[in-house]
């Protein structure tokens, strides 16, 4: 059973159940999350709809970071994954997700 992005499993606006009368369709297909780790850059190409290519980051060590009070943004190297509000299970394997706390190398901001 694959991952799907359909809305047939949801209830009606009134709260009643919807009868499922269709199978899964190719255009509703979804993929596993990439679970980007901290390490030497490794990017995989994924074919999308219409033959377009997407870039799936498997490992990253450099990112674009901003310093809002100084109004500057620089490319800097990530050192570690210090904290993740959702779960500590993402901190131990150094998984980079949105809103995780990542200490960076301060050399570009000097």
């Amino acid at each position: 059973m694959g991952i799907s992005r359909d809305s047939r499993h949801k209830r009606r606006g009134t709260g009643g159940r919807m009868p499922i009368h269709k199978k899964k369709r190719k255009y509703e297909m979804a993929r596993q999350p990439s679970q980007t780790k901290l390490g030497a850059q490794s990017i995989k190409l994924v074919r999308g709809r219409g033959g377009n290519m997407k870039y799936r980051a498997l490992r990253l060590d450099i990112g674009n970071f901003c310093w809002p009070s100084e109004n500057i943004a620089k490319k800097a190297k990530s050192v570690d994954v210090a904290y993740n509000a959702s779960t500590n299970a993402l901190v131990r394997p150094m998984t980079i997700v949105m809103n995780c706390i990542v200490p960076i190398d301060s050399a570009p901001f000097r």
Side-chain angles (χ1 to χ4, degrees):
M1 187 149 180
I3 301 172
S4 181
R5 294 172 55 238
D6 67 334
S7 60
R8 287 189 302 276
H9 67 282
K10 297 192 171 194
R11 289 177 177 258
R12 292 190 168 130
T14 58
R17 286 194 169 273
M18 292 280 285
I20 296 173
H21 63 281
K22 275 193 213 170
K23 290 184 176 180
K24 292 180 181 178
R25 304 292 194 227
K26 174 76 173 168
Y27 58 80
E28 295 168 345
M29 184 181 75
R31 291 193 178 90
Q32 297 284 344
S34 62
Q35 299 287 350
T36 305
K37 304 277 194 276
L38 195 66
Q41 183 171 318
S42 170
I43 294 176
K44 184 172 76 170
L45 284 173
V46 178
R47 185 190 179 275
R49 190 166 162 87
N52 297 309
M53 300 306 278
K54 289 183 170 186
Y55 298 97
R56 183 72 32 94
L58 301 178
R59 290 185 170 276
L60 287 176
D61 60 345
I62 294 175
N64 210 15
F65 297 96
C66 68
W67 190 354
S69 61
E70 298 295 320
N71 200 19
I72 55 172
K74 301 270 183 168
K75 193 178 273 193
K77 188 175 172 110
S78 304
V79 179
D80 188 23
V81 176
Y83 175 74
N84 193 326
S86 58
T87 176
N88 274 336
L90 296 174
V91 175
R92 279 182 239 111
M94 293 193 186
T95 305
I96 302 169
V97 292
M98 268 177 64
N99 208 21
C100 68
I101 307 298
V102 181
I104 60 170
D105 182 28
S106 62
F109 292 99
R110 289 191 181 136

